Amino acid sequence: MLCLALLLSSGAAQGAKPTERSKQKAAAEAQRAGLQQKLTALKRDISRTESAKDDAADTLAESEEAISNANRALRDLAQEQSETGVKLNALGQEHQQLTATVEKQKTQLSKLLREQYVAGNEDRIKLLLSGDNPNRINRDLQLMAYVSQAQARLLEALRANLLAVEKNQADVQNAKDELEEIAQEERDQKALLVQEKARRAALLTSLSQRLVAQRKEVGNVERDEQRMGNLVDKLAKLIEEQAAAAAAEKKRQQLLAEQRAAAKAAADARIAAEKRERLLAARAKAAQAQAERERLAKEQQNKSGKIKPQTPPAPPVKLEPIDDDEPPQVAKVAPKPEPKPEPEPERPSLGPAAPAGAFASMKGQLRAPVAGKIAARFGSKRGDGPSWKGVFIRTGEGSEIHAIAGGRVVFSDWLRGFGNLIIVDHGGQYMSIYGNNQSLLKRVGDAVKGGDAIASAGNSGGNEESGLYFELRHQGRAFDPATWVKF
């Protein structure tokens, strides 16, 4: 009993160590870094083609990006917290079941030991030398064997359950550590959010007159549209490059598979040829031996002049068929399993998550990205400037923005003139664009389904009112969303 108690109470306190969540998070960030570097370089390339003229909205960029990141982090943390809570509850139930099973097994083991003690615990040698009735001795030996086997099985099951309890306790502690880690991150992000909102409010107050003046400048609007066009074109090129690289990699893998199959077929053919040669050699040797026996028998008959019963020919060697249509049966030898390479985690990609043609088939059936009033329509004049390339939907700050269809996020960042901007590629060279958001809830490379929340509405980028700027583009050119989306 003391050993069992020590086993249950084992597990000395260990120093704090990274949780599984923090390890997975670090790995995901490392995988995403390469793609993010490409997009950062793309933005930098676009900025170099513009004049160095200062824009008041640029002063807000850092603060608005920080607000977006904090809101996204809080949303992700809330989801993680919920999932970890469910996991912790399941582990608690598992712990209760394991504890009850262990207690039951301890009771059974105690009962067995007590009964064995009461019975006198006769050993086998003593029983065999007792001189008692052989039938009784045999029966008692069998009973002792059954008891020993039952004890062994019970001890093994108890040991396994004690290990399971230990693992369960470690999992529970890891889940608790993760919850505490999440709670601390939430506190940090909330403090950062309050700080950045106050900072942005102060900046808006000091920049309000400059922002109003710059919004009225026709040249600024034209530059914004040109910037968006350049971004979409460069994204399309980057997507095409990644698709070509993915196709080349797929072709390379297919070629490797074909080469492996060809090498295996050649090895099988070589083994079959060697087997065929051995069979032919065995058949020739058997025929030669039979001919030699017949010759010796004939010589013996000639010498004696008597007809002796002929020695029956040796039974023919059973050879395996070698016809082309009936290949020899090669003995089946279990091949050594080839070590399988560790599967690489899926890396973030810009490839579309929807097949080509899927988006075009939904024309006229797409739901609006957000509920609100349309304040500007595609093609209408923007004061003295160019016409609108999309629509502006006036809605409350923080309202959820939803993807109009399935696809993959190819841009999620701040862009001059559009604030916090997110672009979804739907395949077939169709893209949907969502600008002036308060927060971007999805990252580059994320696959989304129609209706998924991808952002929250705001007035980032120096916009005067809260809402969503929404565009649809095909092959880089903007077109009227009203014929596609049910506003």
Side-chain angles (χ1 to χ4, degrees):
M1 293 298 102
L2 178 60
C3 293
L4 295 175
L6 288 173
L7 279 170
L8 284 170
S9 60
S10 64
Q14 297 180 354
K17 59 180 182 180
T19 62
E20 287 299 318
R21 170 184 173 271
S22 59
K23 292 177 185 176
Q24 292 171 2
K25 194 172 180 180
E29 290 299 328
Q31 290 177 9
R32 200 180 297 276
L35 187 55
Q36 192 58 52
Q37 284 177 358
K38 289 184 180 180
L39 293 173
T40 302
L42 185 148
K43 271 184 65 180
R44 196 163 49 240
D45 186 42
I46 291 173
S47 299
R48 275 201 299 266
T49 63
E50 299 178 349
S51 63
K53 183 178 179 181
D54 180 41
D55 190 289
D58 289 355
T59 312
L60 299 170
E62 185 179 346
S63 179
E64 290 179 343
E65 284 185 79
I67 290 172
S68 173
N69 292 338
N71 276 323
R72 180 177 63 234
L74 285 170
R75 187 184 181 92
D76 291 346
L77 288 168
Q79 179 66 25
E80 282 189 76
Q81 195 170 39
S82 174
E83 292 172 356
T84 307
V86 171
K87 176 183 173 183
L88 193 57
N89 288 336
L91 287 170
Q93 293 176 2
E94 180 186 341
H95 182 74
Q96 289 178 355
Q97 293 172 357
L98 285 170
T99 303
T101 303
V102 166
E103 289 302 322
K104 183 178 178 181
Q105 289 174 334
K106 285 167 61 180
T107 303
Q108 291 174 342
L109 186 58
S110 299
K111 185 179 178 182
L112 274 175
L113 292 172
R114 186 167 54 252
E115 289 175 352
Q116 191 172 6
Y117 176 77
V118 170
N121 196 23
E122 297 183 5
D123 60 46
R124 289 173 172 77
I125 300 297
K126 185 178 177 181
L127 191 61
L128 286 169
L129 298 176
S130 66
D132 205 346
N133 186 319
N135 291 330
R136 179 180 177 276
I137 292 174
N138 184 50
R139 184 178 66 250
D140 288 350
L141 285 173
Q142 286 184 351
L143 287 173
M144 291 174 69
Y146 293 150
V147 170
S148 296
Q149 291 171 6
Q151 287 177 345
R153 286 195 298 270
L154 191 55
L155 282 170
E156 186 62 31
L158 182 58
R159 188 178 296 111
N161 282 323
L162 288 172
L163 290 173
V165 168
E166 187 176 345
K167 181 180 181 302
N168 176 272
Q169 290 173 337
D171 290 342
V172 167
Q173 187 58 50
N174 182 71
K176 288 180 178 178
D177 292 343
E178 287 182 354
L179 280 175
E180 180 55 37
E181 191 178 82
I182 290 169
Q184 182 58 49
E185 286 186 27
E186 281 184 331
R187 290 191 289 270
D188 295 343
Q189 292 296 336
K190 284 177 180 177
L192 177 63
L193 185 59
V194 170
Q195 175 185 333
E196 291 299 336
K197 281 186 173 181
R199 180 184 168 201
R200 182 174 183 270
L203 285 171
L204 280 173
T205 301
S206 63
L207 296 172
S208 59
Q209 292 183 353
R210 286 180 60 195
L211 286 169
V212 171
Q214 287 188 348
R215 276 197 297 267
K216 292 179 179 179
E217 291 181 14
V218 174
N220 275 344
V221 176
E222 291 175 345
R223 282 191 293 272
D224 290 346
E225 290 186 357
Q226 184 179 4
R227 189 179 305 112
M228 176 63 77
N230 288 340
L231 174 62
V232 169
D233 290 343
K234 290 180 182 296
L235 282 174
K237 185 178 179 183
L238 186 57
I239 292 168
E240 188 178 346
E241 289 173 356
Q242 285 214 341
E249 176 62 18
K250 184 178 180 181
K251 187 175 181 181
R252 188 181 73 84
Q253 293 294 340
Q254 288 177 342
L255 183 61
L256 285 174
E258 290 172 1
Q259 289 174 346
R260 284 193 292 267
K264 185 177 183 303
D268 291 345
R270 185 176 66 253
I271 291 170
E274 291 172 356
K275 182 71 179 242
R276 187 187 296 269
E277 289 176 3
R278 286 196 298 271
L279 290 172
L280 289 172
R283 177 170 287 177
K285 187 175 180 181
Q288 185 178 1
Q290 178 65 22
E292 181 64 18
R293 281 194 295 272
E294 290 176 355
R295 186 185 65 79
L296 290 174
K298 197 172 184 179
E299 286 182 358
Q300 186 68 23
Q301 180 182 350
N302 292 335
K303 286 180 182 179
S304 62
K306 295 179 180 179
I307 300 176
K308 291 186 177 180
Q310 292 185 354
T311 305
V317 179
K318 188 176 182 181
L319 300 177
E320 298 179 16
I322 57 172
D323 298 337
D324 291 339
D325 60 344
E326 192 177 358
Q329 300 293 317
V330 181
K332 293 183 179 179
V333 180
K336 293 182 180 179
E338 296 183 3
K340 294 183 178 179
E342 289 292 329
E344 292 188 5
E346 186 177 351
R347 296 184 176 275
S349 163
L350 294 185
F359 185 78
S361 67
M362 293 185 284
K363 182 177 180 179
Q365 304 300 316
L366 300 170
R367 296 183 63 181
V370 67
K373 183 180 179 181
I374 296 181
R377 293 186 177 275
F378 177 86
S380 60
K381 275 290 188 179
R382 301 180 69 167
D384 296 331
S387 58
W388 285 85
K389 301 294 186 188
V391 298
F392 185 80
I393 306 171
R394 191 182 294 122
T395 190
E397 184 175 332
S399 299
E400 281 193 347
I401 308 299
H402 302 275
I404 59 169
R408 191 177 298 279
V409 176
V410 293
F411 189 85
S412 181
D413 207 339
W414 193 93
L415 185 70
R416 182 192 284 189
F418 300 91
N420 289 320
L421 175 73
I422 191 164
I423 301 178
V424 178
D425 177 30
H426 301 286
Q429 302 186 54
Y430 284 97
M431 291 184 185
S432 56
I433 298 169
Y434 313 77
N436 301 129
N437 300 289
Q438 180 191 64
S439 307
L440 305 175
L441 305 180
K442 296 293 183 181
R443 295 177 174 86
V444 170
D446 287 349
V448 296
K449 300 188 296 292
D452 282 356
I454 58 174
S456 60
N459 61 342
S460 60
N463 208 40
E464 57 188 331
E465 56 184 339
S466 175
L468 170 70
Y469 176 70
F470 176 71
E471 275 190 21
L472 283 179
R473 293 198 176 222
H474 181 233
Q475 296 180 341
R477 291 188 296 274
F479 60 91
D480 188 1
T483 58
W484 287 67
V485 180
K486 294 179 178 179
F487 289 111

